[in-house]
């Protein structure tokens, strides 16, 4: 289906659109809408083309979008998004139990204790390819690894159900999703998670945790304890390079009362991995904060200069001449340009290339760790004397590791202080 959507007849002119015009290039959303509305045909079976996984409710609902072109489906989805579907009213009895969703299993995820996160310390071996983020050398479509397009489509479909942008019902306008649509959304979420999409792993872990998740499928609740599944999902996301998952998993281990050496060792390794990822990001954050602080200070200096001129004119009983007025207008224009530059920095990826929930952490970012605090806690776990290196790491001297962790923590604290000072100046 790649690059089919951009060549559909234009719903504006009736003529064929070209890729360069972007008129009908709906990106990932177009792919997702096509796969959601399409049903596997006999011709595709003869050609050996694999089917796109659909939820039982969707398979029973033959061709939900058969009467619409993808362009029409996209327009309907955008209209529904603008309408903001009505939230489930307070006191509503609509609850969908995770355990009862057809076509979804939660008993085959690996034990979280067996996962080893990415570890950037020299005392540990380099992570295997399966533990690392997907290589950027692989074929990509824009900013998306081609191997992950199907998973991103599943995630986009789940998001569209949540937002009320697609429906299995015939009634319009669309409102909050019903039970069948919520179950279908979870089905696609699980499919995306099984295809190693970190965002889906984080979202599914949140649903299984029993913790609040008002920002995504709040109607889903759990009847049983799925904390082991939740932690397995976080561990898998951590092995794929998600620093948020690393910090969240360590926090759950330490707050849930796990005390076995293998469990605490896993927490220590994930804390170190989280700190390593955070430290790698600190130079970029410092550079951005320094640039923003310089802009703020430059803007404040210009305003102070203008204020001094105004005061001088007022003391002399004169008004600013035309030249001064022109300079002030130029300064105000420069301020506006700086504000525009700050706004441009907010958007660093093309929304059409990713699913709607791209980059969301679903509440797991509130783990409370910084790079330095995570390293200090990891050092205290190693210093307890109950932890040893595992065979997966090839063995290492624990005392040497503790010293290395403390040194790294001091370096992280210095960088964090510098970042905090710059952010304070940038206010």
């Amino acid at each position: 289906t790649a690059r089919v959507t951009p060549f559909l007849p234009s719903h504006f002119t009736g003529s064929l659109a070209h890729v360069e015009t972007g008129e009908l290039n709906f990106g990932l959303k177009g792919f997702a809408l096509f796969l959601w509305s399409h049903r596997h045909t006999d011709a595709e079976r003869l050609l050996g083309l694999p089917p796109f996984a659909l939820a039982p409710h969707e398979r029973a609902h033959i061709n939900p979008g058969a009467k619409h072109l993808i362009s029409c489906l996209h327009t309907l989805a955008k209209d529904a998004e603008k309408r903001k579907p009505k939230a489930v009213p307070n006191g509503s009895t609509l609850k969908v139990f995770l355990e009862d969703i057809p076509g979804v299993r939660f008993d085959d995820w690996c034990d979280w204790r067996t996962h080893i996160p990415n570890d950037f310390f020299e005392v540990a071996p380099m992570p295997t390819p399966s533990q690392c983020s997907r290589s950027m050398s692989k074929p990509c479509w824009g900013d998306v690894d081609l191997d992950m397009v199907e998973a991103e489509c599943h995630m986009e479909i789940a998001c569209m159900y949540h937002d009320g942008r697609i429906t299995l019902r015939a009634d319009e306008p669309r409102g909050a999703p019903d039970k069948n649509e919520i179950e279908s959304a979870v089905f696609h979420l699980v499919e995306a998670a099984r295809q190693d999409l970190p965002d889906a792993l984080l979202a599914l872990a949140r649903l299984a945790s029993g913790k609040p998740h008002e920002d995504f499928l709040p109607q889903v609740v759990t009847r049983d304890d799925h904390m082991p599944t939740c932690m397995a999902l976080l561990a898998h996301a951590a092995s794929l390079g998600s620093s948020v998952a690393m910090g969240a998993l360590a926090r759950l281990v330490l707050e849930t009362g796990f005390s076995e050496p293998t469990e605490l060792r896993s927490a220590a390794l994930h804390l170190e991995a989280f700190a390593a990822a955070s430290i790698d990001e600190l130079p970029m954050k410092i550079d951005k904060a320094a640039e923003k602080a310089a802009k703020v200070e430059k803007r404040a200096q210009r305003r102070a200069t203008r204020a001094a001129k105004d005061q001088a004119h007022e003391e002399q009983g004169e008004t600013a001449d035309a030249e001064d007025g022109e300079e002030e207008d130029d300064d105000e224009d420069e301020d506006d340009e700086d504000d525009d530059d700050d706004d441009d920095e907010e958007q660093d990826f093309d929304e059409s290339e990713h699913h709607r929930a791209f980059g969301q952490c679903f509440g797991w970012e509130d783990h409370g760790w910084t790079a330095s605090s995570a390293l200090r806690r990891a050092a205290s776990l190693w210093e307890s004397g109950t932890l040893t290196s595992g065979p997966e790491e090839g063995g290492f001297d624990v005392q040497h590791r503790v010293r290395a962790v403390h040194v790294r923590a001091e370096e992280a604290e210095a960088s964090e202080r510098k970042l905090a000072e710059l952010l304070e100046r940038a206010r």
Side-chain angles (χ1 to χ4, degrees), residues 377-399:
R377 189 69 179 93
S380 68
L381 290 172
W382 290 114
E383 288 172 333
S384 65
T386 60
L387 309 186
T388 58
S389 64
E392 302 90 343
E393 299 152 283
F396 55 81
D397 180 78
V398 173
Q399 293 304 317

Side-chain angles (χ1 to χ4, degrees), residues 11-327:
H11 54 288
F12 295 111
T13 64
S15 61
L16 291 178
H18 296 284
V19 175
E20 292 78 8
T21 66
E23 182 182 353
L24 285 179
N25 186 1
F26 304 135
L28 188 86
K29 294 178 178 63
F31 290 176
L33 284 168
F34 171 79
L35 294 170
W36 169 76
S37 62
H38 180 68
R39 296 298 178 266
H40 206 50
T41 64
D42 292 337
E44 292 172 60
R45 294 186 186 93
L46 290 174
L47 291 172
L49 298 178
F52 181 77
L54 294 171
H57 297 304
E58 294 169 330
R59 293 196 299 268
H61 193 87
I62 303 299
N63 273 5
K67 63 181 180 179
H68 298 302
L69 292 175
I70 300 301
S71 57
C72 297
L73 289 173
H74 185 264
T75 301
L76 289 171
K78 288 184 67 177
D79 291 343
E81 181 180 353
K82 292 178 182 178
R83 285 195 298 267
K84 296 293 182 183
K86 298 178 181 178
V88 178
N90 294 331
S92 171
T93 58
L94 178 58
K95 292 183 180 179
V96 178
F97 288 97
L98 199 61
E99 301 84 357
D100 299 339
I101 297 177
V104 172
R105 289 183 57 191
F106 292 97
D107 59 352
D108 57 345
W109 295 95
C110 295
D111 190 341
W112 62 270
R113 300 170 185 82
T114 63
H115 284 274
I116 302 297
N118 288 339
D119 199 328
F120 299 90
F121 281 88
E122 294 182 0
V123 292
M126 292 296 292
T128 62
S130 62
Q131 294 172 327
C132 295
S133 301
R134 294 182 178 271
S135 172
M136 292 303 294
S137 63
K138 290 188 176 184
C140 292
W141 166 53
D143 193 33
V144 180
D145 183 343
L146 285 181
D147 289 344
M148 301 303 292
V149 170
E150 182 179 347
E152 293 228 21
C153 285
H154 279 295
M155 189 68 187
E156 176 64 18
I157 292 172
C159 293
M160 287 193 287
Y161 274 124
H162 167 74
D163 293 335
R165 290 185 284 155
I166 57 176
T167 181
L168 298 177
R169 295 165 289 173
D171 59 320
E172 296 284 354
R174 302 164 190 184
D178 64 10
K179 182 175 182 294
N180 290 348
E181 292 162 357
I182 293 170
E183 291 180 346
S184 298
V186 175
F187 175 90
H188 287 285
L189 178 64
V190 172
E191 286 295 318
R194 291 194 183 280
Q195 295 181 34
D196 294 346
L197 187 66
D199 303 307
L201 289 163
L202 290 174
L204 186 57
R206 195 69 180 186
L207 297 187
S209 69
K211 295 180 178 294
H213 49 92
E214 294 301 321
D215 58 337
F216 189 67
L217 299 177
Q219 302 90 344
V220 178
V221 296
T222 58
R223 184 186 299 112
D224 304 327
D225 179 17
H226 293 289
M227 188 55 69
T229 298
C230 165
M231 298 177 75
L233 292 164
L234 288 175
H236 190 46
S239 71
L240 293 170
S242 171
S243 60
V244 171
M246 299 169 190
L249 179 61
R251 179 63 68 187
L252 285 178
V253 172
L254 297 175
E255 288 186 348
T256 312
F258 291 99
S259 58
E260 292 295 324
T262 55
E263 297 165 343
L264 296 179
R265 175 175 160 275
S266 177
L269 292 175
H270 281 89
L271 285 170
E272 291 184 42
F274 165 78
S278 300
I279 289 172
D280 285 345
E281 296 174 356
L282 279 175
M284 179 182 64
K285 291 181 178 180
I286 289 174
D287 290 342
K288 286 187 176 181
E291 183 179 350
K292 187 173 182 181
K295 287 181 179 180
V296 170
E297 291 171 354
K298 183 179 178 181
R299 193 179 303 142
Q301 186 177 5
R302 286 199 300 265
R303 290 172 178 170
T305 301
R306 289 202 301 270
K309 287 182 179 179
D310 293 342
Q311 185 177 1
H313 292 150
E314 184 178 350
E315 291 175 354
Q316 296 173 4
E318 300 175 356
T319 59
D321 55 22
E323 184 178 350
D324 289 337
E326 291 178 0
E327 290 178 357

